[in-house]
Amino acid sequence: MPRTFTLLVALAFALSFSTGASVDPNANVSTAKRVFVEKMGQGRFDKLDEIYGPNFVAHSPYKDYTLEEDNESGKAWRTAFPDLKVTVERTVASGDLVALHWKATGTNTVASAGMPGKGAKAKVEGMTFFRFSSGRIVEEWGVMDMARLAMQMSAPPPPPPAPPPPPAAP
């Protein structure tokens, strides 16, 4: 019995190293936040090798996207909303997965990413799940409130404020 236990402990120890580097959920959360704060919120597409692993895949209900396709989409959204601001509201990490709840605001001033570019202000939120390997994002699944965004884009921008009434005659 002791020999069997020793073998099981040794096997478990060996398997813990066979999956690659140990998982650091805090580091993974920090990296996941960079996608929204730096890449989408600030338009910084220059340090992607620090964020994404090889063979990255962004999954959608319709198609899987490569990193290049995902970045082109991100750049199109940044073009459509040049003043885009993104905040991360909540995070949850478990093992090699990180989930983020995020909110974004911006003004759609340029026709891009399927948006009309008519000056409408937008607020939208979504959730994104990332899977990590060796400290880099290798898979992504995301949803955002496209119905709310579409309603905001179809509404005409608000009219400018009315000028104040002239002062009363003395």
Side-chain angles (χ1 to χ4, degrees):
M1 181 74 154
R3 182 176 176 177
T4 304
F5 178 74
T6 303
L7 287 173
L8 288 174
V9 169
L11 179 60
F13 185 73
L15 287 175
S16 70
F17 287 99
S18 71
T19 59
S22 63
V23 174
D24 181 353
N26 292 327
N28 289 349
V29 166
S30 294
T31 300
K33 285 181 174 182
R34 290 180 68 189
V35 171
F36 290 98
V37 175
E38 293 177 22
K39 178 180 160 182
M40 295 308 301
Q42 299 170 0
R44 294 186 49 210
F45 290 81
D46 58 332
K47 305 246 179 178
L48 300 178
D49 58 330
E50 297 175 3
I51 297 173
Y52 296 98
N55 303 316
F56 165 83
V57 177
H59 302 285
S60 84
Y62 311 106
K63 174 184 180 207
D64 288 344
Y65 295 90
T66 66
L67 180 57
E68 293 75 24
E69 292 168 321
D70 187 60
N71 287 329
E72 288 306 312
S73 173
K75 289 174 183 177
W77 281 98
R78 290 282 316 158
T79 298
F81 296 88
D83 63 344
L84 185 66
K85 299 288 184 256
V86 185
T87 59
V88 174
E89 301 294 314
R90 292 171 188 82
T91 63
V92 177
S94 177
D96 63 351
L97 297 173
V98 173
L100 300 179
H101 169 219
W102 52 268
K103 292 183 180 180
T105 60
T107 310
N108 177 222
T109 58
V110 177
S112 181
M115 301 294 118
K118 298 190 180 210
K121 294 194 179 293
K123 291 181 185 178
V124 68
E125 60 187 282
M127 290 178 273
T128 302
F129 289 76
F130 297 106
R131 187 176 71 78
F132 283 77
S133 178
S134 300
R136 303 289 183 263
I137 298 169
V138 293
E139 287 186 278
E140 173 184 325
W141 299 263
V143 295
M144 74 174 175
D145 191 349
M146 291 300 287
R148 181 176 179 192
L149 181 61
M151 287 189 315
Q152 294 172 77
M153 292 300 101
S154 64

